Amino acid sequence: MKVEKPFAAAGNIEMQLDGGNYDIRPAAGDLIRVSFGGNAGNATADVTTAGDHANVSVKNTPNNFKATIEVPQTANLVCHLSAGNLDMAAITGSKDIDSKAGNVEIAVANSNDYSAVDASVKIGNLDAGPFGKSDDGIAKHFTWSGSGKYTLRANLGAGNLSFKGK
């Protein structure tokens, strides 16, 4: 299954994602595209756009579900993942990510792009990579301040949260 809609760069995209493995990466152009791979079962995807705001929802995902979500290279992202793995490429813009369980990896092209970083993991590992700190165990929290214009917030219940240099 594939769902695709044009969407201007530098907009705000909010995602509601049922459990699964997600790869979020830049699109070749100004659009949002959701593609399913592996076991899609009865999963559905919906993309709605209005001006500079878009909503992406993926629902009814089976076990071993995989999807790729492509967004403009510059976009502000809010991502709510119920559980699973999220791998986010270096996308320019503010990010607000939360997941109850799984592994979350966020690529950071340049730490100087951010004014504030706030990351927490209730149980698991936190690797702040380009922001300079790593921790594991229970109730890990990390904050960082810089001179950039974007913010980065990530909150994970159980699992591993890591920021990686590009």
Side-chain angles (χ1 to χ4, degrees), residues 7 13 15 24-33 56 69-75 77 91:
F7 188 68
I13 303 170
M15 302 180 199
I24 299 175
R25 63 183 187 217
D30 292 342
L31 58 85
I32 297 171
R33 177 185 297 130
V56 176
I69 301 172
E70 296 170 86
V71 299
Q73 174 61 56
T74 301
L77 303 174
I91 294 165

Side-chain angles (χ1 to χ4, degrees), residues 1-161:
M1 175 180 200
K2 189 181 283 189
V3 176
E4 183 175 303
K5 286 223 173 146
F7 188 68
N12 301 303
I13 303 170
E14 184 166 351
M15 302 180 199
Q16 299 285 340
L17 308 175
D18 278 2
N21 296 304
Y22 293 90
D23 183 14
I24 299 175
R25 63 183 187 217
D30 292 342
L31 58 85
I32 297 171
R33 177 185 297 130
V34 181
S35 308
F36 293 173
N39 179 19
N42 294 321
T44 60
D46 187 44
V47 177
T48 58
T49 59
D52 67 351
H53 189 84
N55 287 305
V56 176
S57 70
V58 178
K59 298 180 179 170
N60 301 317
T61 56
N63 288 340
N64 301 317
F65 176 77
K66 293 180 182 168
T68 299
I69 301 172
E70 296 170 86
V71 299
Q73 174 61 56
T74 301
N76 296 315
L77 303 174
V78 175
C79 183
H80 306 287
L81 173 60
S82 62
N85 298 314
L86 176 67
D87 188 355
M88 184 176 291
I91 294 165
T92 304
S94 292
K95 296 166 190 71
D96 187 345
I97 294 147
D98 66 77
S99 177
K100 291 177 182 63
N103 297 315
V104 175
E105 184 172 300
I106 301 166
V108 175
N110 185 348
S111 59
N112 294 321
D113 288 346
Y114 294 93
S115 63
V117 176
D118 187 337
S120 63
V121 176
K122 288 185 179 69
I123 299 172
N125 300 321
L126 173 58
D127 179 356
F131 302 106
K133 184 175 180 197
S134 296
D135 236 339
D136 60 2
I138 297 185
K140 298 301 167 194
H141 186 235
F142 169 77
T143 57
W144 183 88
S145 295
S147 59
K149 65 179 184 174
Y150 302 115
T151 60
L152 173 54
R153 189 190 76 79
N155 185 354
L156 178 59
N160 300 311
L161 173 62

